[in-house]
């Protein structure tokens, strides 16, 4: 029952490792990576123990709260929360994190800032894990911001590359836009309820009493709880790369590939989805409609753009955007457990894909453009096999792969949504597109003939890089069986419902032919992809894409990511620059002048004051101080140093006191 | 009989350990001293002394919770331990073993003063600590100033002790009791009489000497100036803490009755005289140690202020005095330590101008000095501020709020606060020399490891007691 009291260990261990990393000299850089790996392994152990403790009572929210500071009436409480949602996430983050850390020891082998890299990674892990076990929205926000900082540091890790520095800045600023909403929601919540605790034995803000209290309609018809929920959703939109703040995520691929795998595929970008799942009770149907809409748009947008990208990591990045859209869609249609299921499976197979891409990039001497690859399958057998598993999981190849089951869960939820059928249809379209662009990627990277010297020279990497791939591939397959319709164990744990112990296979085929539809659609996507890219493989790096020949204008638009960056440059940046100009002018001509005037006035008053002070007061003080010093001097000369004089004073003092007391008392 | 003695032994285990330690120090030096050089002998003696202190502290540890006098003993051990470190780190005097052993004997006296509950034992402990301190004050046989300090201290001290003894014997004569608790019970039913007045004033004079409260303070400047630095530190820190804790207990056990208001007025006079005289006279001192002596007289005024509330709330007064004098003691030992380091390097360090350019010579030493001096001056967030704040707060809290202005203690608190402002002037004079005044001597200072340790402990103690006072105060209240 007391396990939540130990939850702080989970984030504290990586934090300690970050501290060690920060003080590791360059020459002993192994200390930094060893500390990071050890801390992650230990955190994984604690997280597993936490999970088993949480699963003992899946419906309960075990909390351990403490007062962080109390100032007068104001009492700020922090706390840790243990429930299956957070515990599953913590196990996933520590496990995937550990594998990615291990992969990084190989990938970053030649980097001179190796120790610093692991320090940042540990800092990131600490903040991410803190976010997962937090029971306070404020603590969540603090961790959320540290996660953002770590992401900034890691994207810009190769800061000598101008693109990396720019991408880091872009990621930081874009997510800040969303965080502003988060902060406003947090403040509103605190002013309304005076608590930021999620659960606190009936008085947390996600519990019935508070929700009833917040169920007041605003003038515009929205409930207060929904308005707060939507403000918090702004934060999630920024962090999880949802439309319209998705622009930073593809650029974030300028960071080292393990960072992309850990932060921008598996964990950090999932924080937004996690947050929405955490505050799900706060959201009313109105707010959920907004979430579903944004999710559906993002899912489609990401998938469409991914078709046209040539950088292997950018394809995966847009695929991540699209999949995160799926998860948001699932939350919007009221199936947070399906969203978390997809989040978990996606974390494994997307980390696998990114690390696979990293393995390819590392082998091909940091070549990232697919047009210059080709023919890698026979050269890198393990990478190819594991990558193929990840690709099939992402594409949703039926039955054996985890992505199929989690995507299926989301489509079921979307189909059952009463408000509108549109998200369901958009989801179906995205299924086809996903299968299509992944087939394109496979064909371009692994098949055909090598189209550059780098690709010709590629060799399989050492075990520290392939072992994580293999382990992740196993998980990418097995994890799906935790949530099949036949035996939805994971969903049951997350919702805290009972589940029969034996699987019921008949349930798989229930429903209005959904399963068959999605299998057909996946097959369609794979087939179309192979038809376009498989039969006639790209021969040289410079030849245009087959689709580009057919639809040159649409292709160009998509390749430029639908001109979102340009749009923002033309609108938001312009507006910002104009505002900055106005602010600057105001500051320079109005405020500065006013300040100068006040300053001059103060100077003038000071001048008068000084005169009064010097002539009037100071002379008086000086006189007094002089008197005191004179007294002191006079007394000091009375201390002659003669011993019998001292004793005389002693006797005199005694006699004087006796007389005084005698007079007073008798 | 056997059981009785063994019990006595276990009650006084810390004192027994300290005495044994002192004898061991002497014996070890006698056996090994011939074969080793002076520094080795000093290090060995100090090490054995520290070990004895450590074991004594260990013997105390079971009583720490719930027994505030044990905490007082522990604080005394800590202050004496710092003094031992100063002996090891800065002293060049001959006969180091005797130096250490005498410090241990003095500590036995302090420890007994805090625990004695019998007039005879009180006096014996008082004398044990005093006599060892006379010897320690004159321990530098090469310096006439040291001899003069010891002689004046001795003359004054022995007369004061005679007063105290006379006072005690009058009390005994009036009541026929020497156990403090029974003495208090008998006194409370006795009518006021001239003999009682004389007895009490004699006792006040005796303790006034121990605390260096005006007008019984005259020995202090000379003794502080002439005594070797570790001895002066012991006189300033340990001796004062022990004496004042004893006075609190005496007042708490016996009470003022039936002379209550009259004695309070006498005490108020002592307080006012100490506050005024100490702080004002310190303004013109050009000698660092005399400055510390006068500032000590000013601090004695504040301590007596807290003791004034002892009959009303002994527990609180004991805690306040202990916290105040512990922080004061740490700062004093530290300040004397800084002076001692200077003297060990330059053969001078008495004058304020000797501190000129200290910042260039040793930033570490200067930062330590800053902590000590600012704590003495009572600048937050150092412990000195909170000790003073705590004292004033509790004294005002114990007064009748309806008739606040009619109580002399209210006005004394105001005087003490005003005098704190005056005191800032002379304290900052020291820092001005250390930080701003140009250096005459630019040689970097060499600080021996034990001295560094002592300064570091004292400074850290002051900072920690200032920032986290509740951890210490929780043990007290």
């Amino acid at each position: 029952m007391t396990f939540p009291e130990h939850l702080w260990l989970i984030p504290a261990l990586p934090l300690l490792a970050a501290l060690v990393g920060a003080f590791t000299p360059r020459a002993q850089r192994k200390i930094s990576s060893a500390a990071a790996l050890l801390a992650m392994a230990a955190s994984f152990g604690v997280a597993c123990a936490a999970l088993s403790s949480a699963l003992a009572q899946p419906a309960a929210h075990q909390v351990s709260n403490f007062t962080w500071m109390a100032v007068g009436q104001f009492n700020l409480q922090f706390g840790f929360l243990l429930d299956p949602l957070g515990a599953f996430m913590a196990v996933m983050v520590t496990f995937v994190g550990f594998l990615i850390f291990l992969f990084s020891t190989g990938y970053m082998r030649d980097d001179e800032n190796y120790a610093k890299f692991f320090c940042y990674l540990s800092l990131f892990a600490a903040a991410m894990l803190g976010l997962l076990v937090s029971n306070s929205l404020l603590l969540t926000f603090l961790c959320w911001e540290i996660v953002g900082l770590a992401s900034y540091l890691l994207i810009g890790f190769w800061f000598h590359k101008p693109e990396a520095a720019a991408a880091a800045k872009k990621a930081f600023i874009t997510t800040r836009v969303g965080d502003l909403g988060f902060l406003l929601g947090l403040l509103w919540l605190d002013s309304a309820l005076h608590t930021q605790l999620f659960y606190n034995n009936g008085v947390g803000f996600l519990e019935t009493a508070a929700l009833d209290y917040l169920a007041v309609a605003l003038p515009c018809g929205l409930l207060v709880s929904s308005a707060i929920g939507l403000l918090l959703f702004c934060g999630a939109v920024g962090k999880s790369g949802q439309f319209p703040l998705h622009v930073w995520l593809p650029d974030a691929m300028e960071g080292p590939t393990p960072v992309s795998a850990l932060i921008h595929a598996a964990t950090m970008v999932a924080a937004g989805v996690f947050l929405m799942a955490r505050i799900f009770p706060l959201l009313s149907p109105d707010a959920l409609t907004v979430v579903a809409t944004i999710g559906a748009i993002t899912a489609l947008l990401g998938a469409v753009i991914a078709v046209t990208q040539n950088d292997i990591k950018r394809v995966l990045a847009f695929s991540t955007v699209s999949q995160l859209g799926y998860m948001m869609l699932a939350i919007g249609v009221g199936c947070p457990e399906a969203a978390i299921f997809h989040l978990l499976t996606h974390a494994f197979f997307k980390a696998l894909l990114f690390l696979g891409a990293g393995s390819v990039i590392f082998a091909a001497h940091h070549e990232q453009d697919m047009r210059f690859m080709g023919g890698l399958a026979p050269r890198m057998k393990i990478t190819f096999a594991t990558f193929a598993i990840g690709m099939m999981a992402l594409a949703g190849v039926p039955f054996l792969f985890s992505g199929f089951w989690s995507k299926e869960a989301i489509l079921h939820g979307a189909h059952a949504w009463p408000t509108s059928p549109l998200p369901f249809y958009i989801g179906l379209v995205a299924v086809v597109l996903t299968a299509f662009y992944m087939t394109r990627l496979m064909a371009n990277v692994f098949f055909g003939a090598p189209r550059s010297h780098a690709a010709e020279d590629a060799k399989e990497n050492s075990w520290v890089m392939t072992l994580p791939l293999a382990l992740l591939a196993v998980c990418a397959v097995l994890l799906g069986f935790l949530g099949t319709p036949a035996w939805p164990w994971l969903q049951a744990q997350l919702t805290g419902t009972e589940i029969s112990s034996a699987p019921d296979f008949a349930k798989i085929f229930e429903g209005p032919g959904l399963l068959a539809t999605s299998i057909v659609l996946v097959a369609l996507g794979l087939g179309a992809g192979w038809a376009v890219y498989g039969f006639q493989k790209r021969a040289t790096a410079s030849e245009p894409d087959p689709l580009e020949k057919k639809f040159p204008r649409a292709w160009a638009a998509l390749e430029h990511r639908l001109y979102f960056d340009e749009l923002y440059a033309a609108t938001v940046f312009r507006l910002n620059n104009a505002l900055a100009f106005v602010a600057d002018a105001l500051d320079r001509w109005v405020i500065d002048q006013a300040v100068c005037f006040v300053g001059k006035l103060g100077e003038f008053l000071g001048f008068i004051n000084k005169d009064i002070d010097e002539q009037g007061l100071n002379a008086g003080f000086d006189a007094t101080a002089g008197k005191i010093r004179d007294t002191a001097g006079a007394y000091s000369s009375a201390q002659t140093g003669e011993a019998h004089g001292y004793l005389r004073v002693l006797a005199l003092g005694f006699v004087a006191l006796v007389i005084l007391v005698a007079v007073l008392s008798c | 009989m056997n059981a009785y003695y063994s019990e006595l032994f276990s009650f006084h285990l810390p004192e027994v350990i300290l005495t044994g330690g002192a004898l061991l120090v002497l014996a070890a030096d006698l056996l090994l001293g011939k074969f080793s050089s002076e520094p080795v002998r000093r290090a060995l003696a100090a090490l054995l002394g520290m070990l004895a202190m450590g074991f004594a502290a260990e013997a105390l540890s079971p009583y720490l919770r719930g027994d505030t006098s044990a905490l007082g003993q522990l604080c005394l051990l800590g202050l004496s331990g710092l003094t031992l470190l100063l002996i090891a780190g800065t002293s060049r005097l001959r006969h180091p073993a005797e130096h250490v052993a005498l410090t241990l004997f003095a500590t036995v006296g302090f420890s007994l003063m805090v625990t004695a509950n019998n007039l005879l034992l009180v006096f014996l402990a008082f004398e044990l600590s005093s006599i060892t301190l006379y010897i320690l004050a004159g321990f530098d046989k090469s310096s006439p100033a040291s001899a003069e300090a010891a002689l004046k201290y001795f003359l004054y001290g022995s007369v004061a002790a005679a007063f105290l003894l006379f006072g005690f014997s009058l009390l005994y004569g009036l009541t026929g009791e020497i156990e403090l608790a029974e003495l208090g019970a008998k006194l409370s039913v006795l009518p006021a009489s001239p003999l009682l007045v004389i007895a009490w004033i004699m006792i006040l004079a005796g303790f006034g000497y121990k605390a260096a409260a005006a007008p019984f303070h005259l020995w202090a400047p000379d003794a502080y100036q002439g005594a070797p630095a570790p001895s002066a530190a012991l006189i300033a820190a340990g001796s004062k803490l022990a004496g004042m804790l004893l006075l609190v207990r005496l007042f708490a056990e016996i009470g003022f009755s039936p002379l209550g208001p009259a004695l309070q007025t006498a005490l108020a006079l002592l307080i006012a005289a100490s506050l005024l005289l100490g702080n004002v006279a310190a303004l013109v001192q050009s000698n660092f140690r005399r400055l510390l002596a006068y500032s000590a007289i000013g601090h004695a005024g504040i301590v007596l202020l807290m003791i004034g509330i002892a009959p009303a709330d002994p527990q609180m007064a004991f805690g306040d005095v202990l916290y105040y004098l512990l922080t004061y003691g740490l700062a004093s030992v530290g300040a004397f330590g800084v002076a001692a380091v200077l003297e060990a390097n330059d053969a001078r360090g008495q004058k304020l101008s000797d501190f000129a350019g200290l910042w260039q010579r040793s930033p570490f030493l200067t930062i330590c000095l800053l902590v000590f001096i600012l704590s003495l001056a009572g600048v937050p967030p150092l412990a000195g501020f909170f000790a003073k704040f705590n004292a004033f707060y509790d004294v005002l809290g114990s007064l009748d709020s309806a008739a606040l202005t009619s109580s002399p203690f209210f006005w004394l608190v105001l005087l003490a606060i005003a005098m704190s402002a005056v005191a800032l002037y002379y304290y900052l004079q020291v820092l001005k020399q250390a930080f701003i005044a140009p250096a005459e001597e630019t040689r970097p200072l060499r600080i021996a490891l034990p001295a560094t340790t002592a300064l570091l402990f004292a400074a850290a103690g002051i900072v920690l007691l200032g920032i986290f006072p509740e951890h210490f105060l929780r043990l007290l209240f």
Side-chain angles (χ1 to χ4, degrees), chain A residues 353-409:
Chain A
L353 286 170
F354 262 105
L355 291 188
S359 179
V360 166
I361 292 167
F362 194 72
H365 306 297
H366 290 274
E367 179 58 64
Q368 305 200 4
D369 196 324
M370 299 195 296
R371 288 172 295 192
F372 293 93
M373 295 177 180
L376 291 179
R379 291 178 175 75
M380 307 177 69
K381 291 206 176 63
I382 303 177
T383 304
F384 169 66
T386 52
F387 198 93
I389 291 173
M391 172 262 172
M392 286 191 270
L394 174 57
V397 171
F399 302 127
L400 200 53
F401 299 97
S402 59
F404 173 73
W405 298 112
S406 53
K407 201 174 283 183
E408 211 49 30

Side-chain angles (χ1 to χ4, degrees), chain A residues 210-551:
Chain A
L211 291 177
D212 288 346
Y213 180 76
L214 288 179
V216 190
L218 290 168
C220 62
L222 201 61
L223 296 183
V224 172
S225 60
S226 298
I228 294 175
L230 283 179
L231 281 171
L232 299 180
F233 178 59
C234 288
V237 165
K239 201 65 103 192
S240 287
Q242 299 292 297
F243 169 83
L245 296 180
H246 64 279
V247 289
W248 67 270
L249 187 54
D251 284 14
M253 299 304 139
E254 293 295 341
T257 306
V259 171
S260 310
L262 177 63
I263 301 187
H264 306 116
T267 59
M268 181 188 93
V269 289
V273 179
F274 169 77
L275 178 72
M276 296 320 284
R278 173 62 84 211
I279 61 159
F280 188 74
L282 209 57
L283 303 167
S284 67
D286 295 345
L288 286 176
T289 309
V290 176
V291 175
T293 312
I294 296 284
I297 293 175
T298 313
L300 186 63
L301 193 77
V304 173
I305 297 178
V307 171
T308 63
Q309 299 298 309
N310 284 321
D311 183 320
I312 181 169
K313 281 174 71 181
R314 286 199 185 232
V315 176
L316 294 176
F318 276 105
S319 146
T320 306
V321 170
S322 164
Q323 298 299 313
L324 289 167
Y326 255 110
M327 297 171 208
M328 280 298 178
L329 189 157
I331 293 198
V333 299
C335 291
E337 67 279 359
I340 296 300
F341 182 31
H342 194 54
L343 193 166
L344 292 173
T345 59
H346 173 260
F348 284 94
F349 65 68
K350 191 49 78 57
L352 167 62
L353 286 170
F354 262 105
L355 291 188
S359 179
V360 166
I361 292 167
F362 194 72
H365 306 297
H366 290 274
E367 179 58 64
Q368 305 200 4
D369 196 324
M370 299 195 296
R371 288 172 295 192
F372 293 93
M373 295 177 180
L376 291 179
R379 291 178 175 75
M380 307 177 69
K381 291 206 176 63
I382 303 177
T383 304
F384 169 66
T386 52
F387 198 93
I389 291 173
M391 172 262 172
M392 286 191 270
L394 174 57
V397 171
F399 302 127
L400 200 53
F401 299 97
S402 59
F404 173 73
W405 298 112
S406 53
K407 201 174 283 183
E408 211 49 30
I410 292 179
L411 289 175
H412 266 96
H415 187 258
W417 198 40
T419 313
S420 158
L422 262 180
F424 173 65
Y425 291 121
I426 290 178
L428 291 181
V429 174
V431 167
V432 182
L433 286 169
T434 308
F436 181 79
Y437 66 69
M438 284 314 289
T439 315
R440 170 175 179 263
L441 188 145
M442 289 299 284
N444 271 334
V445 173
F446 289 102
F447 297 110
R451 292 181 292 274
S452 69
H453 289 301
E456 274 170 25
D457 293 349
K459 282 198 297 289
E460 189 55 273
N461 293 305
S462 70
W463 69 270
V464 288
M465 294 171 74
T466 51
L467 177 70
L469 292 178
L471 285 175
L472 285 170
V474 171
C475 294
V477 172
L478 291 184
L479 210 60
F481 298 118
L482 292 180
T484 62
W487 192 60
W489 177 81
L490 190 81
Q491 286 93 325
Q493 297 299 337
L494 286 170
T495 50
T497 47
E498 288 290 316
I499 179 175
S500 63
S501 55
D504 177 6
F505 292 104
K507 276 199 183 154
I508 297 180
F509 303 103
E510 269 178 15
L514 257 182
L515 195 76
T517 318
S518 79
I519 292 174
V520 168
L521 289 174
V522 170
L524 184 69
L526 290 173
W530 195 251
V532 178
Y533 297 100
F535 291 126
Q536 183 125 46
K537 293 179 190 77
R538 173 188 281 278
T540 61
S542 54
E543 100 188 29
D545 198 276
L547 288 181
E548 192 176 358
K549 286 184 217 155
K550 285 235 169 82
F551 313 103

Side-chain angles (χ1 to χ4, degrees), chain A residues 628-629 632 635 639 641 646 650, chain B residues 152 216-218 222 280 425:
Chain A
I628 293 181
R629 284 182 70 95
Y635 169 75
Q639 175 111 13
Y646 292 1
L650 172 73
Chain B
K152 279 184 182 161
F216 310 111
H217 66 284
L218 289 161
D222 293 328
V280 171
Y425 172 78

Side-chain angles (χ1 to χ4, degrees), chain A residues 628-629 631-633 635-636 639 641 643 646-647 649-650 653-654 657-658 660-662 664-665, chain B residues 152 156 159 163 197 201-202 216-218 222 262 265-266 269 277 280-281 283-285 294 425:
Chain A
I628 293 181
R629 284 182 70 95
T631 321
Y635 169 75
S636 215
Q639 175 111 13
Y646 292 1
L647 297 179
V649 175
L650 172 73
F654 167 70
L657 282 176
V658 167
L660 174 87
V661 173
L664 281 177
S665 62
Chain B
K152 279 184 182 161
Y156 204 97
V159 173
F163 270 86
V197 171
I201 298 298
M202 284 183 151
F216 310 111
H217 66 284
L218 289 161
D222 293 328
T265 313
L269 263 181
L277 219 149
V280 171
L283 288 176
V284 290
Q285 300 304 322
Y294 282 108
Y425 172 78

Side-chain angles (χ1 to χ4, degrees), chain A residues 69-88:
Chain A
M69 62 175 190
V71 180
Q73 294 293 307
F74 177 69
N75 190 356
L76 190 55
Q77 282 202 304
F78 276 1
F80 296 110
L81 167 63
L82 181 61
D83 63 354
L85 172 62
F88 273 122

